Amino acid sequence: MNSSTSPRIEAMDSHIHLDMYAPEDMQRLLAKAKESGVRKLVAVSRNLQSCRATRAIFQAFPGQIVPAYGFHPEQPLPDAAEVDALIAWMLERRDEYFAIGEVGLPYYMRRDAEKMRTAETFPNAAYLELLERFVMLARMLERPIVLHAVYEDADAACDLLEKHGVTRAHFHWFKGATATIERMIGNGYYVSVTPDVLYEPKIQALVRQYPLDRIMTETDGPWPFEGPFAGKQTHPAMVLDVAAAIAELKALPYEETASALYGNAVRFYCEASVR
């Protein structure tokens, strides 16, 4: 893969958990990102404490970071007071720009419950209710929403997005059925692709099917990857390798593809900030 760091190449990491890196690692990775041409990063959050940490990172690197606030679904449900406190905290900052995320549905937790034969007590309806609150918040604030919703959960997420008229939706690290993908394409939703596109056939198939003008690049760092990235710390500059892989799968020039991917992310996240 040719992931040249020529000044002509610009990129964006559209999904990364910066607050999960050690502070010294985060600063080093942000400096490397800038040197590599990764102009901006969307820093997502996992809960209220994480949101506060993400906001502090944004304030320290305001031109480089797009903050996103939410509750990651692959963890135990918060109680009502915690949810109310999180949403109240977000509403208090409605005059600041941020996306809604990472939010969604707990596919992997639910699958584990099924394996342990405890699925009948799994609170899936409550997770759906929580996601709906975030979808409604995205609609009210006119903000992009970042979704963790894979396989059949993507259909449930689409139901909620359609119900509330939310179209600025980003499904990160998506996997799902062909019919679901066609539904997402028809609704104009975006997907983002991680470094596993270099070695995962399912992700490669998604890239071939999805329109280039609705694809973004991401790392989901600090999540580790395999293949050529095995044993390496995940860093934002890896999105250049993602762009190169997408170019190869689409049979397009690298520079043209990288420019389109960067433009997609800027259009989705950064232009929304001036609405």
Side-chain angles (χ1 to χ4, degrees):
M1 293 293 174
N2 173 22
S3 56
S4 168
T5 57
S6 162
R8 294 178 300 165
I9 303 300
E10 294 180 305
M12 186 163 166
D13 187 341
S14 67
H15 192 101
I16 186 169
H17 296 265
L18 283 177
D19 68 307
M20 295 179 68
Y21 287 93
E24 60 275 14
D25 285 345
M26 182 194 68
Q27 293 186 23
R28 176 177 52 81
L29 294 177
L30 288 177
K32 181 177 180 180
K34 185 177 291 187
E35 293 171 2
S36 301
V38 181
R39 303 302 179 203
K40 292 183 179 294
L41 304 89
V42 179
V44 297
S45 307
R46 296 164 289 129
N47 50 40
L48 181 53
Q49 180 180 358
S50 175
C51 289
R52 290 182 173 131
T54 296
R55 184 170 181 263
I57 295 169
F58 163 67
Q59 290 175 321
F61 302 91
Q64 197 173 5
I65 305 301
V66 177
Y69 306 140
F71 184 87
H72 195 295
E74 299 284 356
Q75 56 184 321
L77 274 168
D79 61 32
E82 290 178 272
V83 175
D84 289 345
L86 171 57
I87 292 180
W89 185 89
M90 294 166 72
L91 288 172
E92 287 169 5
R93 288 153 184 82
R94 64 190 304 164
D95 292 335
E96 303 175 11
Y97 177 68
F98 57 86
I100 308 295
E102 177 176 2
V103 299
L105 295 170
Y107 174 82
Y108 297 103
M109 282 180 61
R110 192 177 65 252
R111 186 179 65 176
D112 288 344
E114 291 168 356
K115 290 179 181 177
M116 296 174 65
R117 299 183 180 180
T118 58
E120 65 278 1
T121 61
F122 190 82
N124 203 56
Y127 280 100
L128 278 166
E129 290 173 6
L130 179 58
L131 175 56
E132 185 163 22
R133 288 193 67 176
F134 286 119
V135 170
M136 292 169 67
L137 187 63
R139 173 67 177 181
M140 181 176 69
L141 298 180
E142 296 185 321
R143 303 298 171 88
I145 187 167
V146 192
L147 293 155
H148 171 99
V150 298
Y151 301 110
E152 61 266 27
D153 283 351
D155 289 301
C158 287
D159 289 344
L160 292 175
L161 294 169
E162 292 167 1
K163 175 181 176 181
H164 295 285
V166 173
T167 57
R168 192 174 286 270
H170 166 198
F171 287 74
H172 103 94
W173 207 344
F174 177 76
K175 304 98 173 167
T178 299
T180 303
I181 294 170
E182 291 297 336
R183 180 182 184 184
M184 291 164 55
I185 292 171
N187 286 343
Y189 303 151
Y190 286 64
V191 298
S192 55
V193 178
T194 69
D196 69 351
V197 70
L198 274 75
Y199 56 85
E200 285 287 353
K202 287 184 179 179
I203 306 303
Q204 294 166 354
L206 172 68
V207 167
R208 292 189 182 99
Q209 183 177 358
Y210 225 83
L212 180 62
D213 66 357
R214 290 293 185 274
I215 300 176
M216 297 184 284
T217 56
E218 65 154 302
T219 61
D220 200 27
W223 183 268
F225 292 93
E226 301 173 8
F229 311 106
K232 298 179 181 179
Q233 183 182 49
T234 298
H235 58 82
M238 287 179 178
V239 297
L240 298 171
D241 295 290
V242 175
I246 292 171
E248 183 173 308
L249 290 164
K250 293 287 194 184
L252 294 170
Y254 172 55
E255 289 82 0
E256 175 186 327
T257 305
S259 177
L261 294 166
Y262 178 63
N264 295 342
V266 169
R267 182 171 64 250
F268 185 88
Y269 280 107
C270 303
E271 290 180 5
S273 67
V274 298
R275 289 189 168 195

